[in-house]
Short mmCIF file of all heavy atoms in Angstrom, two decimals:
data_model
loop_
_atom_site.label_atom_id
_atom_site.label_comp_id
_atom_site.label_asym_id
_atom_site.label_seq_id
_atom_site.Cartn_x
_atom_site.Cartn_y
_atom_site.Cartn_z
N SER A 30 2.52 -8.22 26.65
CA SER A 30 3.20 -8.72 27.84
C SER A 30 4.44 -7.91 28.15
O SER A 30 4.93 -7.92 29.28
CB SER A 30 3.57 -10.20 27.68
OG SER A 30 4.39 -10.36 26.55
N ALA A 31 4.97 -7.20 27.15
CA ALA A 31 6.14 -6.35 27.37
C ALA A 31 6.28 -5.35 26.24
O ALA A 31 5.79 -5.59 25.12
CB ALA A 31 7.42 -7.19 27.48
N HIS A 33 9.31 -2.80 24.39
CA HIS A 33 10.75 -2.52 24.28
C HIS A 33 10.94 -1.14 23.66
O HIS A 33 10.21 -0.75 22.73
CB HIS A 33 11.43 -3.55 23.38
CG HIS A 33 11.35 -4.96 23.86
ND1 HIS A 33 12.44 -5.65 24.32
CD2 HIS A 33 10.31 -5.82 23.93
CE1 HIS A 33 12.09 -6.88 24.65
NE2 HIS A 33 10.80 -7.01 24.43
N LEU A 35 14.05 0.65 21.64
CA LEU A 35 15.33 0.37 20.99
C LEU A 35 15.90 1.67 20.43
O LEU A 35 15.15 2.59 20.08
CB LEU A 35 15.15 -0.64 19.85
CG LEU A 35 14.38 -1.92 20.16
CD1 LEU A 35 14.14 -2.71 18.88
CD2 LEU A 35 15.15 -2.77 21.16
N GLN A 37 18.64 3.08 17.47
CA GLN A 37 19.45 2.74 16.31
C GLN A 37 20.20 3.97 15.85
O GLN A 37 19.62 4.96 15.42
CB GLN A 37 18.60 2.20 15.16
CG GLN A 37 19.43 1.70 13.99
CD GLN A 37 18.61 0.96 12.96
OE1 GLN A 37 17.43 1.20 12.80
NE2 GLN A 37 19.24 0.03 12.25
N PRO A 39 23.06 6.18 13.56
CA PRO A 39 23.28 6.30 12.12
C PRO A 39 24.15 5.18 11.55
O PRO A 39 24.01 4.81 10.41
CB PRO A 39 23.97 7.66 11.98
CG PRO A 39 23.47 8.45 13.14
CD PRO A 39 23.30 7.46 14.26
N GLY A 40 25.04 4.64 12.31
CA GLY A 40 25.87 3.52 11.85
C GLY A 40 25.09 2.25 11.65
O GLY A 40 25.58 1.31 11.03
N GLY A 41 23.86 2.19 12.20
CA GLY A 41 22.98 1.06 11.94
C GLY A 41 22.77 0.11 13.09
O GLY A 41 21.82 -0.66 13.07
N GLY A 42 23.67 0.12 14.10
CA GLY A 42 23.52 -0.85 15.19
C GLY A 42 22.29 -0.56 16.03
O GLY A 42 21.87 0.58 16.20
N ILE A 43 21.67 -1.62 16.54
CA ILE A 43 20.46 -1.50 17.35
C ILE A 43 20.79 -1.91 18.77
O ILE A 43 21.36 -2.98 19.01
CB ILE A 43 19.33 -2.38 16.79
CG1 ILE A 43 18.94 -1.93 15.40
CG2 ILE A 43 18.11 -2.34 17.73
CD1 ILE A 43 17.90 -2.82 14.73
N VAL A 44 20.40 -1.05 19.70
CA VAL A 44 20.64 -1.31 21.12
C VAL A 44 19.32 -1.29 21.86
O VAL A 44 18.49 -0.41 21.62
CB VAL A 44 21.58 -0.24 21.71
CG1 VAL A 44 21.73 -0.42 23.21
CG2 VAL A 44 22.94 -0.29 21.03
N SER A 45 19.12 -2.25 22.72
CA SER A 45 17.92 -2.26 23.53
C SER A 45 18.11 -1.31 24.70
O SER A 45 19.07 -1.43 25.46
CB SER A 45 17.66 -3.68 24.05
OG SER A 45 16.53 -3.70 24.90
N LEU A 46 17.20 -0.35 24.84
CA LEU A 46 17.30 0.62 25.93
C LEU A 46 16.53 0.15 27.16
O LEU A 46 17.03 0.20 28.28
CB LEU A 46 16.75 1.97 25.48
CG LEU A 46 17.47 2.67 24.33
CD1 LEU A 46 16.72 3.93 23.93
CD2 LEU A 46 18.91 2.99 24.71
N PHE A 47 15.29 -0.25 26.92
CA PHE A 47 14.43 -0.66 28.02
C PHE A 47 13.52 -1.79 27.57
O PHE A 47 13.15 -1.87 26.42
CB PHE A 47 13.51 0.49 28.47
CG PHE A 47 14.20 1.68 29.06
CD1 PHE A 47 14.36 2.83 28.32
CD2 PHE A 47 14.67 1.65 30.37
CE1 PHE A 47 14.99 3.95 28.85
CE2 PHE A 47 15.29 2.76 30.92
CZ PHE A 47 15.46 3.90 30.16
N MET A 48 13.16 -2.63 28.53
CA MET A 48 12.04 -3.53 28.36
C MET A 48 11.18 -3.37 29.61
O MET A 48 11.70 -3.46 30.72
CB MET A 48 12.46 -4.98 28.24
CG MET A 48 11.32 -5.91 27.88
SD MET A 48 11.74 -7.65 28.03
CE MET A 48 11.89 -7.81 29.79
N LYS A 54 10.92 3.03 34.17
CA LYS A 54 12.32 2.65 34.35
C LYS A 54 13.19 3.83 33.99
O LYS A 54 12.86 4.63 33.11
CB LYS A 54 12.67 1.44 33.47
CG LYS A 54 12.13 0.12 33.98
CD LYS A 54 12.71 -1.05 33.20
CE LYS A 54 12.24 -2.37 33.78
NZ LYS A 54 12.80 -3.53 33.03
N ILE A 86 12.99 3.25 18.41
CA ILE A 86 11.98 2.32 17.94
C ILE A 86 11.27 1.69 19.13
O ILE A 86 11.91 1.21 20.07
CB ILE A 86 12.61 1.21 17.07
CG1 ILE A 86 13.36 1.81 15.88
CG2 ILE A 86 11.55 0.21 16.60
CD1 ILE A 86 14.25 0.80 15.14
N ARG A 90 5.57 -6.93 22.59
CA ARG A 90 5.39 -8.38 22.54
C ARG A 90 3.93 -8.66 22.86
O ARG A 90 3.49 -8.43 23.99
CB ARG A 90 6.30 -9.07 23.55
CG ARG A 90 6.15 -10.58 23.55
CD ARG A 90 7.04 -11.22 24.58
NE ARG A 90 6.80 -12.65 24.64
CZ ARG A 90 6.65 -13.33 25.78
NH1 ARG A 90 6.73 -12.72 26.92
NH2 ARG A 90 6.43 -14.63 25.73
N TYR A 95 0.92 -16.66 24.43
CA TYR A 95 2.05 -16.73 25.33
C TYR A 95 3.14 -17.66 24.81
O TYR A 95 4.16 -17.83 25.44
CB TYR A 95 1.59 -17.18 26.71
CG TYR A 95 0.76 -16.13 27.41
CD1 TYR A 95 -0.63 -16.18 27.42
CD2 TYR A 95 1.38 -15.05 28.04
CE1 TYR A 95 -1.37 -15.21 28.04
CE2 TYR A 95 0.64 -14.06 28.67
CZ TYR A 95 -0.73 -14.16 28.66
OH TYR A 95 -1.47 -13.18 29.29
N ASN A 96 2.89 -18.24 23.64
CA ASN A 96 3.90 -19.13 23.08
C ASN A 96 4.72 -18.46 21.99
O ASN A 96 5.41 -19.12 21.24
CB ASN A 96 3.23 -20.38 22.49
CG ASN A 96 2.66 -21.24 23.58
OD1 ASN A 96 3.26 -21.39 24.64
ND2 ASN A 96 1.50 -21.81 23.34
N THR A 97 4.65 -17.15 21.89
CA THR A 97 5.42 -16.48 20.85
C THR A 97 6.29 -15.39 21.45
O THR A 97 5.91 -14.74 22.42
CB THR A 97 4.51 -15.87 19.77
OG1 THR A 97 5.36 -15.27 18.77
CG2 THR A 97 3.61 -14.79 20.34
N ASP A 98 7.45 -15.22 20.87
CA ASP A 98 8.32 -14.12 21.24
C ASP A 98 8.29 -13.02 20.20
O ASP A 98 9.10 -12.12 20.22
CB ASP A 98 9.77 -14.62 21.36
CG ASP A 98 9.97 -15.45 22.59
OD1 ASP A 98 9.24 -15.24 23.57
OD2 ASP A 98 10.86 -16.31 22.57
N LYS A 99 7.33 -13.10 19.28
CA LYS A 99 7.32 -12.19 18.15
C LYS A 99 7.09 -10.76 18.63
O LYS A 99 6.19 -10.49 19.41
CB LYS A 99 6.18 -12.59 17.21
CG LYS A 99 6.25 -12.01 15.83
CD LYS A 99 5.25 -12.75 14.94
CE LYS A 99 5.36 -12.28 13.50
NZ LYS A 99 4.51 -13.10 12.62
N LEU A 100 7.93 -9.84 18.16
CA LEU A 100 7.78 -8.43 18.47
C LEU A 100 7.12 -7.72 17.28
O LEU A 100 7.38 -8.05 16.13
CB LEU A 100 9.13 -7.78 18.74
CG LEU A 100 9.89 -8.21 19.99
CD1 LEU A 100 11.21 -7.47 20.09
CD2 LEU A 100 9.05 -7.98 21.23
N PHE A 102 6.88 -4.01 15.64
CA PHE A 102 7.67 -2.79 15.71
C PHE A 102 6.89 -1.57 15.24
O PHE A 102 6.10 -1.65 14.30
CB PHE A 102 8.92 -2.93 14.83
CG PHE A 102 9.89 -3.96 15.33
CD1 PHE A 102 9.79 -5.28 14.92
CD2 PHE A 102 10.90 -3.61 16.20
CE1 PHE A 102 10.67 -6.24 15.38
CE2 PHE A 102 11.80 -4.56 16.67
CZ PHE A 102 11.68 -5.87 16.25
N GLY A 103 7.17 -0.44 15.89
CA GLY A 103 6.75 0.84 15.34
C GLY A 103 7.71 1.24 14.23
O GLY A 103 8.73 0.59 14.01
N THR A 104 7.37 2.31 13.55
CA THR A 104 8.19 2.75 12.41
C THR A 104 9.37 3.62 12.83
O THR A 104 10.20 3.95 12.00
CB THR A 104 7.34 3.51 11.39
OG1 THR A 104 6.66 4.56 12.07
CG2 THR A 104 6.34 2.59 10.72
N ARG A 107 12.82 9.54 14.34
CA ARG A 107 14.18 10.02 14.05
C ARG A 107 14.42 11.30 14.82
O ARG A 107 13.76 12.31 14.60
CB ARG A 107 14.36 10.27 12.55
CG ARG A 107 15.77 10.68 12.16
CD ARG A 107 15.89 10.79 10.65
NE ARG A 107 15.63 9.51 10.00
CZ ARG A 107 16.53 8.55 9.83
NH1 ARG A 107 17.76 8.73 10.25
NH2 ARG A 107 16.21 7.43 9.22
N ARG B 9 29.51 -8.51 7.17
CA ARG B 9 28.88 -7.23 7.52
C ARG B 9 28.27 -6.57 6.28
O ARG B 9 27.26 -5.86 6.38
CB ARG B 9 29.92 -6.30 8.14
CG ARG B 9 30.45 -6.78 9.48
CD ARG B 9 29.38 -6.73 10.57
NE ARG B 9 28.78 -5.41 10.68
CZ ARG B 9 29.30 -4.42 11.39
NH1 ARG B 9 30.42 -4.61 12.07
NH2 ARG B 9 28.69 -3.25 11.46
N SER B 31 17.08 -18.21 22.57
CA SER B 31 16.18 -17.76 21.52
C SER B 31 16.96 -16.91 20.54
O SER B 31 17.76 -16.05 20.94
CB SER B 31 15.02 -16.94 22.10
OG SER B 31 14.11 -17.75 22.80
N PHE B 33 16.65 -14.69 16.73
CA PHE B 33 15.72 -14.04 15.84
C PHE B 33 16.45 -13.52 14.60
O PHE B 33 17.55 -12.99 14.72
CB PHE B 33 15.06 -12.83 16.53
CG PHE B 33 14.41 -13.15 17.85
CD1 PHE B 33 15.16 -13.30 19.00
CD2 PHE B 33 13.04 -13.30 17.93
CE1 PHE B 33 14.57 -13.59 20.22
CE2 PHE B 33 12.43 -13.59 19.14
CZ PHE B 33 13.20 -13.74 20.28
N TYR B 35 15.82 -10.71 11.65
CA TYR B 35 15.00 -9.57 11.24
C TYR B 35 15.53 -9.01 9.92
O TYR B 35 16.70 -9.13 9.60
CB TYR B 35 15.07 -8.44 12.27
CG TYR B 35 14.48 -8.76 13.62
CD1 TYR B 35 15.30 -9.11 14.68
CD2 TYR B 35 13.11 -8.67 13.84
CE1 TYR B 35 14.77 -9.37 15.93
CE2 TYR B 35 12.57 -8.94 15.09
CZ TYR B 35 13.41 -9.29 16.13
OH TYR B 35 12.87 -9.55 17.37
N GLN B 37 15.42 -5.24 7.78
CA GLN B 37 15.05 -3.83 7.88
C GLN B 37 15.19 -3.15 6.53
O GLN B 37 16.26 -3.20 5.91
CB GLN B 37 15.92 -3.10 8.91
CG GLN B 37 15.48 -1.66 9.16
CD GLN B 37 16.33 -0.97 10.20
OE1 GLN B 37 17.55 -1.13 10.23
NE2 GLN B 37 15.68 -0.18 11.06
N MET B 39 13.82 0.55 4.26
CA MET B 39 13.26 1.90 4.43
C MET B 39 11.74 1.85 4.35
O MET B 39 11.04 2.55 5.09
CB MET B 39 13.80 2.83 3.35
CG MET B 39 15.25 3.21 3.54
SD MET B 39 15.50 4.24 4.98
CE MET B 39 14.69 5.74 4.44
N LEU B 43 11.53 -2.57 10.48
CA LEU B 43 12.01 -3.86 10.99
C LEU B 43 10.90 -4.90 10.92
O LEU B 43 9.79 -4.66 11.36
CB LEU B 43 12.44 -3.71 12.45
CG LEU B 43 13.88 -3.40 12.74
CD1 LEU B 43 14.05 -3.02 14.19
CD2 LEU B 43 14.79 -4.56 12.39
N GLU B 44 11.24 -6.06 10.39
CA GLU B 44 10.27 -7.16 10.30
C GLU B 44 10.93 -8.44 10.81
O GLU B 44 12.08 -8.71 10.47
CB GLU B 44 9.86 -7.43 8.86
CG GLU B 44 9.28 -6.27 8.11
CD GLU B 44 9.07 -6.63 6.66
OE1 GLU B 44 10.05 -6.64 5.90
OE2 GLU B 44 7.91 -6.94 6.28
N LEU B 45 10.19 -9.20 11.59
CA LEU B 45 10.69 -10.50 12.01
C LEU B 45 10.53 -11.49 10.87
O LEU B 45 9.45 -11.63 10.30
CB LEU B 45 9.92 -10.99 13.23
CG LEU B 45 10.29 -12.39 13.72
CD1 LEU B 45 11.70 -12.38 14.32
CD2 LEU B 45 9.29 -12.89 14.74
N TYR B 48 12.05 -17.01 14.10
CA TYR B 48 12.82 -17.14 15.31
C TYR B 48 12.86 -18.58 15.78
O TYR B 48 11.96 -19.38 15.48
CB TYR B 48 12.37 -16.17 16.40
CG TYR B 48 11.18 -16.58 17.22
CD1 TYR B 48 11.31 -17.35 18.37
CD2 TYR B 48 9.90 -16.13 16.88
CE1 TYR B 48 10.22 -17.68 19.15
CE2 TYR B 48 8.81 -16.45 17.65
CZ TYR B 48 8.97 -17.23 18.78
OH TYR B 48 7.88 -17.56 19.55
N ASN B 50 13.72 -21.21 19.15
CA ASN B 50 13.87 -21.38 20.58
C ASN B 50 14.45 -22.76 20.82
O ASN B 50 13.91 -23.76 20.33
CB ASN B 50 12.52 -21.23 21.30
CG ASN B 50 12.65 -21.32 22.81
OD1 ASN B 50 12.29 -22.33 23.41
ND2 ASN B 50 13.17 -20.29 23.44
N ILE B 55 10.28 -21.70 15.67
CA ILE B 55 8.99 -21.56 16.34
C ILE B 55 7.99 -20.82 15.47
O ILE B 55 6.82 -21.19 15.40
CB ILE B 55 9.15 -20.82 17.69
CG1 ILE B 55 10.13 -21.56 18.60
CG2 ILE B 55 7.80 -20.63 18.37
CD1 ILE B 55 9.72 -22.96 18.96
N ASP B 56 8.44 -19.79 14.82
CA ASP B 56 7.54 -18.97 14.00
C ASP B 56 8.30 -18.50 12.77
O ASP B 56 9.24 -17.73 12.88
CB ASP B 56 7.04 -17.76 14.81
CG ASP B 56 6.00 -16.94 14.07
OD1 ASP B 56 5.90 -17.03 12.83
OD2 ASP B 56 5.28 -16.17 14.74
N SER B 58 6.54 -17.37 10.04
CA SER B 58 5.48 -16.74 9.24
C SER B 58 5.97 -15.48 8.53
O SER B 58 5.34 -15.02 7.59
CB SER B 58 4.27 -16.42 10.11
OG SER B 58 4.62 -15.55 11.16
N GLY B 59 7.07 -14.92 8.99
CA GLY B 59 7.60 -13.72 8.36
C GLY B 59 8.54 -13.99 7.20
O GLY B 59 8.95 -13.06 6.51
N PHE B 91 19.28 -8.33 10.44
CA PHE B 91 19.77 -8.37 11.82
C PHE B 91 19.47 -9.72 12.45
O PHE B 91 18.42 -10.32 12.22
CB PHE B 91 19.10 -7.28 12.67
CG PHE B 91 19.55 -5.89 12.37
CD1 PHE B 91 18.79 -5.07 11.56
CD2 PHE B 91 20.72 -5.40 12.93
CE1 PHE B 91 19.20 -3.77 11.29
CE2 PHE B 91 21.13 -4.10 12.67
CZ PHE B 91 20.38 -3.28 11.84
N THR B 95 18.22 -13.77 22.82
CA THR B 95 17.78 -13.49 24.17
C THR B 95 17.67 -14.81 24.91
O THR B 95 17.88 -15.88 24.32
CB THR B 95 16.42 -12.74 24.17
OG1 THR B 95 16.13 -12.30 25.51
CG2 THR B 95 15.28 -13.62 23.71
N ASP B 97 15.33 -17.35 26.89
CA ASP B 97 14.07 -17.91 27.34
C ASP B 97 12.82 -17.10 27.08
O ASP B 97 12.28 -16.44 27.95
CB ASP B 97 14.14 -18.23 28.84
CG ASP B 97 13.21 -19.38 29.19
OD1 ASP B 97 12.79 -20.10 28.28
OD2 ASP B 97 12.93 -19.54 30.37
N ARG B 98 12.38 -17.16 25.85
CA ARG B 98 11.06 -16.69 25.48
C ARG B 98 10.83 -15.20 25.65
O ARG B 98 9.74 -14.76 25.97
CB ARG B 98 9.98 -17.47 26.23
CG ARG B 98 9.92 -18.91 25.79
CD ARG B 98 8.55 -19.52 26.07
NE ARG B 98 8.42 -20.78 25.39
CZ ARG B 98 8.08 -20.89 24.13
NH1 ARG B 98 7.83 -19.83 23.40
NH2 ARG B 98 8.00 -22.07 23.56
N GLY B 99 11.87 -14.42 25.41
CA GLY B 99 11.66 -12.99 25.26
C GLY B 99 11.27 -12.26 26.52
O GLY B 99 10.85 -11.11 26.45
N LEU B 100 11.37 -12.93 27.67
CA LEU B 100 11.08 -12.19 28.89
C LEU B 100 12.26 -11.31 29.26
O LEU B 100 12.19 -10.56 30.23
CB LEU B 100 10.78 -13.18 30.03
CG LEU B 100 9.53 -14.03 29.82
CD1 LEU B 100 9.36 -15.00 30.98
CD2 LEU B 100 8.30 -13.15 29.70
N TYR B 101 13.32 -11.42 28.49
CA TYR B 101 14.50 -10.61 28.69
C TYR B 101 14.73 -9.78 27.43
O TYR B 101 14.17 -10.04 26.38
CB TYR B 101 15.71 -11.50 28.97
CG TYR B 101 15.55 -12.35 30.20
CD1 TYR B 101 14.90 -13.58 30.13
CD2 TYR B 101 16.03 -11.92 31.44
CE1 TYR B 101 14.73 -14.35 31.27
CE2 TYR B 101 15.86 -12.69 32.57
CZ TYR B 101 15.22 -13.90 32.48
OH TYR B 101 15.04 -14.65 33.60
N GLU B 102 15.59 -8.77 27.57
CA GLU B 102 15.85 -7.91 26.42
C GLU B 102 16.52 -8.69 25.31
O GLU B 102 17.25 -9.65 25.56
CB GLU B 102 16.74 -6.73 26.86
CG GLU B 102 16.05 -5.82 27.85
CD GLU B 102 16.92 -4.67 28.28
OE1 GLU B 102 17.79 -4.27 27.51
OE2 GLU B 102 16.73 -4.18 29.41
N GLN B 103 16.27 -8.27 24.10
CA GLN B 103 16.94 -8.87 22.96
C GLN B 103 18.22 -8.10 22.66
O GLN B 103 18.25 -6.88 22.73
CB GLN B 103 16.02 -8.84 21.73
CG GLN B 103 14.80 -9.74 21.86
CD GLN B 103 14.04 -9.90 20.57
OE1 GLN B 103 14.52 -9.56 19.49
NE2 GLN B 103 12.83 -10.44 20.66
N PHE B 105 20.96 -7.31 19.81
CA PHE B 105 21.06 -7.33 18.36
C PHE B 105 22.52 -7.41 17.91
O PHE B 105 23.41 -6.80 18.52
CB PHE B 105 20.43 -6.07 17.76
CG PHE B 105 18.93 -6.07 17.78
CD1 PHE B 105 18.23 -5.83 18.96
CD2 PHE B 105 18.20 -6.31 16.63
CE1 PHE B 105 16.85 -5.83 18.99
CE2 PHE B 105 16.81 -6.31 16.64
CZ PHE B 105 16.13 -6.08 17.83
N GLY B 106 22.72 -8.11 16.82
CA GLY B 106 24.00 -8.08 16.14
C GLY B 106 24.14 -6.81 15.33
O GLY B 106 23.19 -6.04 15.22
N PRO B 107 25.31 -6.59 14.73
CA PRO B 107 25.56 -5.36 13.97
C PRO B 107 24.85 -5.31 12.63
O PRO B 107 24.79 -4.26 12.00
CB PRO B 107 27.07 -5.38 13.78
CG PRO B 107 27.44 -6.82 13.83
CD PRO B 107 26.50 -7.45 14.80
N ARG B 110 24.49 -5.84 5.74
CA ARG B 110 23.87 -5.03 4.70
C ARG B 110 24.00 -5.77 3.37
O ARG B 110 25.11 -5.96 2.88
CB ARG B 110 24.53 -3.66 4.61
CG ARG B 110 23.88 -2.73 3.58
CD ARG B 110 24.48 -1.33 3.62
NE ARG B 110 24.21 -0.68 4.90
CZ ARG B 110 23.11 -0.03 5.19
NH1 ARG B 110 22.14 0.08 4.28
NH2 ARG B 110 22.95 0.54 6.36
#
Side-chain angles (χ1 to χ4, degrees):
Chain A
S30 58
H33 299 249
L35 310 172
Q37 185 170 28
I43 297 175
V44 174
S45 177
L46 297 175
F47 295 103
M48 188 191 69
K54 285 190 176 180
I86 302 168
R90 179 181 175 226
Y95 290 99
N96 291 322
T97 182
D98 287 333
K99 197 167 184 173
L100 293 180
F102 294 89
T104 53
R107 184 175 298 276
Chain B
R9 295 291 306 275
S31 288
F33 306 79
Y35 295 100
Q37 186 179 40
M39 288 292 291
L43 268 168
E44 303 174 282
L45 177 69
Y48 82 88
N50 183 254
I55 302 299
D56 186 340
S58 59
F91 288 99
T95 189
D97 208 17
R98 293 203 167 277
L100 296 178
Y101 299 85
E102 295 180 27
Q103 293 190 13
F105 285 76
R110 183 174 295 276

